[in-house]
Amino acid sequence: MKDIEGGEDTAHSDSSTEEIKDKKEKKEKLPLATVGEVFSFAPTRRTRICIGLGLCCSLVTGAVFPAMAFFFSQVFEELSASAEMDSFLDNITRMAYTFMILGAIAFVFMTAQAALLETAADEMTYSLKTRWFDALLRQDLTYFDIKDVSGQATIISSNASKYKKGVGRKMGEGAQFLVTCIGGFAYAFYSSWQNSLLILALLPIIAASATFVMKATMS
């Protein structure tokens, strides 16, 4: 009898384990939302305009850093070539004004980027919560027998917070860093394509050594 009971317990535990695995597989097989579905929660034309202007500001902000590298190299070439004291001071003054202008452009466009994208993200998140709540109200009573009603508010709030970060600050930073990366590579190959290819060839070795050092220091 004990062997039979032990076998039943083992079979029950195996079946429960299989059910958990099936649930996990079902969760993993859920299709990802398309770009159109992600931005379908933009309620008004004003929201879409804010998204477009915010992304344009992100592109300008990302282009500022490659521009800084370009002007920085040009200034040092002029400083090394200037022999007289007056021309040297003129180059220093021009360099200071150039970086002041670039800093002002970066400040203005980064502020506009954050304001526009966060405004659009707030409106889209509110629209997401409203549609989610409307969808819950349309469900049958059997749905609430299966799902935990008390946890729906927490689920909506947590997912809405992630959605707001994704379509707001994270999206702007992604566009900004993408332009910075492309502009940096373009300027690097424009300045010296031989050195750029050499650094790219050594990049896997540098990354592997940095990873090894991080693991060694953390262990």
Side-chain angles (χ1 to χ4, degrees):
M1 290 294 290
K2 290 183 179 180
D3 295 336
I4 294 173
E5 291 176 356
E8 290 178 352
D9 293 337
T10 305
H12 180 69
S13 61
D14 293 338
S15 63
S16 61
T17 305
E18 290 177 358
E19 289 177 359
I20 293 171
K21 288 182 179 179
D22 292 337
K23 289 180 180 179
K24 288 182 178 179
E25 289 177 358
K26 288 180 180 179
K27 288 182 179 179
E28 291 176 357
K29 290 180 181 178
L30 290 175
L32 295 176
T34 62
V35 177
E37 291 173 346
V38 171
F39 291 99
S40 64
F41 295 101
T44 59
R45 185 179 179 184
R46 172 178 171 271
T47 306
R48 292 188 286 271
I49 292 174
C50 286
I51 294 172
L53 292 177
L55 289 176
C56 292
C57 292
S58 301
L59 300 181
V60 175
T61 306
V64 166
F65 296 99
M68 283 185 177
F70 173 76
F71 286 113
F72 202 69
S73 62
Q74 293 294 322
V75 164
F76 269 97
E77 289 179 2
E78 293 177 359
L79 289 178
S80 61
S82 59
E84 297 180 359
M85 192 65 180
D86 293 335
S87 60
F88 182 81
L89 292 176
D90 291 338
N91 290 330
I92 291 290
T93 304
R94 187 166 61 254
M95 178 180 68
Y97 282 124
T98 301
F99 281 99
M100 284 175 62
I101 293 171
L102 288 175
I105 292 173
F107 175 76
V108 171
F109 279 92
M110 286 183 75
T111 304
Q113 166 192 336
L116 291 169
L117 290 179
E118 286 298 318
T119 300
D122 284 334
E123 296 177 357
M124 293 170 67
T125 304
Y126 179 77
S127 176
L128 169 66
K129 290 180 179 180
T130 305
R131 292 190 192 180
W132 197 330
F133 186 70
D134 290 340
L136 286 176
L137 293 179
R138 290 194 301 267
Q139 301 302 316
D140 296 330
L141 293 176
T142 55
Y143 174 83
F144 298 100
D145 293 334
I146 300 172
K147 300 293 183 178
D148 184 14
V149 181
S150 61
Q152 292 299 317
T154 305
I155 294 172
I156 294 174
S157 179
S158 60
N159 285 281
S161 178
K162 294 176 183 177
Y163 178 78
K164 181 181 177 181
K165 286 183 180 179
V167 298
R169 179 170 55 89
K170 295 292 184 182
M171 183 175 65
E173 290 177 354
Q176 174 186 338
F177 295 148
L178 178 63
V179 173
T180 301
C181 181
I182 295 174
F185 275 110
Y187 175 67
F189 279 96
Y190 169 77
S191 298
S192 177
W193 63 270
Q194 297 94 339
N195 291 335
S196 301
L197 287 177
L198 179 62
I199 293 173
L200 284 177
L202 296 176
L203 193 60
I205 301 174
I206 297 172
S209 60
T211 305
F212 175 77
V213 171
M214 287 179 61
K215 289 182 177 179
T217 54
M218 291 176 65
S219 62

